[in-house]
Amino acid sequence: KAYKTKNEALAAEREFSLQIGNIPEDKNMTFKELYTAYYSYQEDKVKPTTLKTYRDRIKYMQLLDNIKLKDLSVKHYELWRKEINKADISTAYKNDIQKFIKIVLNWGSKMYDFDFRSFYNKITKFINHNELKKEMDFYTLEEFKQFIIDNTIDKEGNTKVYASIY
């Protein structure tokens, strides 16, 4: 309520963070430094499991670690993309990692006034046409009832007791 626009509020937040020392002002910062600052910023805002997910993604971003953000280019992204494509992980997970990079870059734009638009807009999803999609089985109500009956009576005719799913 103290600020007329969102940009004014973000600028004030950035200034406040600099004053208390949470976020270093450095236009020469590397991607790793930005990632680390983002992690620190999120520590009291997200669940511990989310922080663990952030830590688990570090190994997939090492190729970008030492690149200065002011020098970050599509060429760096394409090299990173080729390396990630070699990793034995699912296409969905590759896209999750890439999405997280976009989140960190977006945060860097807000907190440090970096302009990643030329880079950010060229990030495309990973697609693997040869990857088999996992199928889900759906049961009708009758199939479900039969499943419950089949799985609640053991071979000797004794009724098994399970926790209710309702």
Side-chain angles (χ1 to χ4, degrees):
K1 293 182 180 182
Y3 304 98
K4 293 179 182 175
T5 66
K6 183 178 178 181
N7 286 338
E8 286 178 11
L10 289 171
E13 180 186 22
R14 185 172 36 257
E15 191 64 37
F16 176 74
S17 295
L18 290 171
Q19 288 174 359
I20 61 172
N22 282 350
I23 302 171
E25 179 69 39
D26 186 4
K27 293 297 179 183
N28 288 319
M29 78 180 344
T30 63
F31 183 81
K32 184 175 185 176
E33 291 168 336
L34 178 66
Y35 177 87
T36 303
Y38 178 76
Y39 183 87
S40 297
Y41 177 78
Q42 291 289 71
E43 280 182 317
D44 62 343
K45 295 170 183 60
V46 297
K47 294 178 182 178
T49 53
T50 303
L51 290 174
K52 182 186 178 313
T53 301
Y54 293 170
R55 282 191 310 270
D56 291 345
R57 292 180 177 157
I58 290 172
K59 64 183 172 190
Y60 297 110
M61 293 187 255
Q62 290 175 345
L63 191 61
L64 299 173
D65 278 356
N66 297 320
I67 297 172
K68 295 202 181 293
L69 294 174
K70 65 181 182 180
D71 299 330
L72 193 62
S73 69
V74 175
K75 180 182 86 171
H76 296 114
Y77 167 72
E78 288 300 328
L79 288 171
W80 174 82
R81 187 176 171 92
K82 285 180 184 176
E83 287 301 312
I84 289 298
N85 255 334
K86 294 176 187 175
D88 188 27
I89 55 177
S90 73
T91 303
Y93 191 58
K94 290 175 189 176
N95 284 320
D96 284 345
I97 295 166
Q98 180 173 273
K99 181 179 166 186
F100 183 70
I101 289 174
K102 289 174 86 171
I103 290 168
V104 171
L105 293 175
N106 191 30
W107 182 81
S109 295
K110 290 177 184 174
M111 298 305 284
Y112 295 101
D113 290 328
F114 283 108
D115 185 6
F116 295 117
R117 283 181 290 188
S118 64
F119 174 81
Y120 193 87
N121 293 331
K122 299 203 174 45
I123 295 176
T124 57
K125 285 185 137 188
F126 287 90
I127 298 172
N128 183 352
H129 297 289
N130 297 325
E131 187 173 53
L132 298 175
K133 301 218 186 270
K134 294 182 181 177
E135 293 188 23
M136 295 178 69
D137 285 333
F138 293 93
Y139 294 100
T140 65
L141 181 59
E142 295 305 316
E143 289 172 327
F144 177 72
K145 287 178 182 176
Q146 188 60 46
F147 173 81
I148 294 298
I149 291 169
D150 291 346
N151 288 293
T152 55
I153 301 174
D154 65 14
K155 292 178 180 159
E156 289 80 39
N158 299 323
T159 302
K160 298 178 191 176
V161 178
Y162 292 101
S164 173
I165 59 170
Y166 297 105

